């Protein structure tokens, strides 16, 4: 399963900050002794300030606000330096500042919704970056060179790359959001389909017990009370299931499990998995076999095991797998653990996108359960789900 902060992403961020630090050092050493107006000191101070803006918490200042403030400040600084800089200045125009502005531009395009305000903020940042080489304009005029114009053209290319990167990141995030929504919707549809079968099962039991109570009310009235209690409990359980699932739709091609046969269905699931994989162990504790589960919990338990085994086959082929079900206090615990794969590991359990975990957690939480997925010391993964159980009722169907 994907972790919240994948190692490659953190390494890339660390490399980025190292590069920014080196650019800052280059600004310091290249600018050297301050000129007679002190303008050579300004790029050395502006770069770190913009890096602070990159790290500023979003809850205090949105990307849009930071982009507007930083772009305005950079343009003012460019005007001041181009007006007052010494013609003999040989320092940089602010490499750290330009790189930080490009990073902020990319973040602005990726994070801010595509509105007129976002376009204005991105445009202001782009103009600020492209104008930065003009800080060397006094030197160009004095020596008759065109370094500032060439630098502006190069910065224009860099702006285009930053815009493309930001748009790509924004589109990928939008696609991920759509995929997550689709996974959640699919899980809701599957739960809704199960609702029909499970409610029918409970209602049938209620009708049978009601008919039995009618027959026994004259011949054995002492047995009517327990039957009525069972009818009341079954009705409450059915209503609870409907309250959780009635708002979702039914999917026609889904095949659910029959109520009360969850352990047999999981055993068949594990058996089918063992035909292709070695080292599969399945255990259901005696206490777990005695508990009663709500219908939607049964199908969710089955789905947790099914999804975990599918991920093992896809991403950890050849790994040893253990499926264990038992009581943990007052809740049912389902655990699927796999060791490191037998061959080359193609990716984390649950897929690179993490959508399987998102949908599975959505399903488990819908029935008041919890789900965790963590890597283990042996190089594998452990998926653990806890579910609520129902209190036993004498004479009620298990």
């Amino acid at each position: 399963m994907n972790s919240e902060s994948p190692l490659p992403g953190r390494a890339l961020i660390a490399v980025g900050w190292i590069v920014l630090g080196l650019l800052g050092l280059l600004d310091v050493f290249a600018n050297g002794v301050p000129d007679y107006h002190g303008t050579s000191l300004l790029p050395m101070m502006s770069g770190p300030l913009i890096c602070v803006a990159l790290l500023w918490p979003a809850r205090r200042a949105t990307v849009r606000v930071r982009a507007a403030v930083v772009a305005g400040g950079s343009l003012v600084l460019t005007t001041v330096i181009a007006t007052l800089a010494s013609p003999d200045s040989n320092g940089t125009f602010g490499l750290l500042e330009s790189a930080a502005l490009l990073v902020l531009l990319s973040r602005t395009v990726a994070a801010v919704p595509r509105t007129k305000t976002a376009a204005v903020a991105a445009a202001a940042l782009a103009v600020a970056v492209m104008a930065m080489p003009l800080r060397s304009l006094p030197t160009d005029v004095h020596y008759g060179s065109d370094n500032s114009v060439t630098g502006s053209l190069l910065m224009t290319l860099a702006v285009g790359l930053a815009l493309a990167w930001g748009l790509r990141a924004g589109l990928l995030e939008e696609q991920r959001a759509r995929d997550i929504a689709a996974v959640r919707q699919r899980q809701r549809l599957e739960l809704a389909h199960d609702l029909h079968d499970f409610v029918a099962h409970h209602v049938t039991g209620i009708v049978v017990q009601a008919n039995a109570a009618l027959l026994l009310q004259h011949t054995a009235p002492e047995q009517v009370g327990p039957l009525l209690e069972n009818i009341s409990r079954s009705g409450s359980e059915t209503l609870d299931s409907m309250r959780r699932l009635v708002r979702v739709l039914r999917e026609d091609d889904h095949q659910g499990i029959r109520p009360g046969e969850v352990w047999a269905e999981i055993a068949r699931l594990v058996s089918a998995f063992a035909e292709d994989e070695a080292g599969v162990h399945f255990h259901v504790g005696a206490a777990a076999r005695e508990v009663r589960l709500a219908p939607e919990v049964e199908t969710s338990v089955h789905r947790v095991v099914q999804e975990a085994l599918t991920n093992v086959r896809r991403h950890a082929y050849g790994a040893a797998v253990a499926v264990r079900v038992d009581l943990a206090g007052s809740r049912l615990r389902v655990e699927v653990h796999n060791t490191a794969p037998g061959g080359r590991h193609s990716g984390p359990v649950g897929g690179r996108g993490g959508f399987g975990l998102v949908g599975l957690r959505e399903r488990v939480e819908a029935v008041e359960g919890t789900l965790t997925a963590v890597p283990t010391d042996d190089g594998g993964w452990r998926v653990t789900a806890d579910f609520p159980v129902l209190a036993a009722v004498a004479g009620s169907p298990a």
Side-chain angles (χ1 to χ4, degrees), residues 36-55:
Y36 64 94
H37 282 127
T39 54
S40 60
L41 294 176
L42 296 178
M44 289 188 285
M45 295 184 295
S46 61
L49 288 176
I50 296 180
C51 288
V52 171
L54 289 176
L55 295 172

Side-chain angles (χ1 to χ4, degrees), residues 152-203:
S152 293
L153 292 176
L154 292 176
M155 286 295 101
T156 301
L157 177 61
V159 165
L161 294 175
L163 287 172
W165 184 265
L167 288 172
R168 173 185 177 274
L171 291 174
L172 288 177
E173 187 60 31
E174 290 177 0
Q175 182 61 46
R176 177 178 174 82
R178 286 194 295 268
D179 290 341
I180 291 176
V183 169
R184 288 174 172 169
Q185 180 65 11
R186 184 166 62 250
Q187 293 293 348
R188 293 187 185 103
L189 295 176
E190 291 173 351
L191 282 170
H193 183 279
D194 296 334
L195 174 65
H196 173 271
D197 296 333
F198 294 148
V199 169
H201 169 77
H202 277 287
V203 172

Side-chain angles (χ1 to χ4, degrees), residues 44-258:
M44 289 188 285
M45 295 184 295
S46 61
L49 288 176
I50 296 180
C51 288
V52 171
L54 289 176
L55 295 172
W56 201 259
R59 63 180 181 274
R60 294 189 178 182
T62 64
V63 175
R64 185 181 308 170
V65 172
R66 281 178 284 171
V69 172
V70 167
S74 180
L75 287 171
V76 170
L77 191 62
T78 297
T79 303
V80 171
I81 295 176
T83 303
L84 302 177
S86 170
D88 297 325
S89 177
N90 295 318
T92 68
F93 56 80
L95 296 178
L96 175 59
E97 180 184 348
S98 61
L101 283 175
L102 289 171
V103 173
L104 186 57
L105 173 60
S106 181
R107 286 188 181 180
T108 302
V109 174
V112 176
R114 292 172 178 82
T115 61
K116 292 182 179 179
T117 306
V120 171
L125 281 173
V127 171
V129 174
M130 292 185 291
M132 285 185 63
L134 297 179
R135 297 174 181 180
S136 303
L137 195 58
T139 302
D140 287 352
V141 173
H142 182 74
Y143 291 101
S145 61
D146 56 356
N147 292 334
S148 59
V149 176
T150 303
S152 293
L153 292 176
L154 292 176
M155 286 295 101
T156 301
L157 177 61
V159 165
L161 294 175
L163 287 172
W165 184 265
L167 288 172
R168 173 185 177 274
L171 291 174
L172 288 177
E173 187 60 31
E174 290 177 0
Q175 182 61 46
R176 177 178 174 82
R178 286 194 295 268
D179 290 341
I180 291 176
V183 169
R184 288 174 172 169
Q185 180 65 11
R186 184 166 62 250
Q187 293 293 348
R188 293 187 185 103
L189 295 176
E190 291 173 351
L191 282 170
H193 183 279
D194 296 334
L195 174 65
H196 173 271
D197 296 333
F198 294 148
V199 169
H201 169 77
H202 277 287
V203 172
T204 300
I206 291 173
V207 171
V208 170
Q209 293 180 82
N211 289 334
L214 289 174
L215 294 175
L216 294 174
Q217 62 178 335
H218 300 298
T219 57
E222 69 281 358
Q223 298 182 21
V224 174
L227 285 174
L228 293 178
E229 291 179 1
N230 287 350
I231 290 173
S232 176
R233 179 63 62 89
S234 297
S236 297
E237 292 171 0
T238 304
L239 288 175
D240 288 340
S241 299
M242 292 179 65
R243 289 190 185 102
R244 293 189 185 104
L245 306 174
V246 75
R247 294 182 181 179
V248 295
L249 302 173
R250 178 175 179 176
E251 187 175 326
D252 294 335
D253 59 355
H254 174 69
Q255 292 183 353
I257 62 172
R258 287 173 290 183

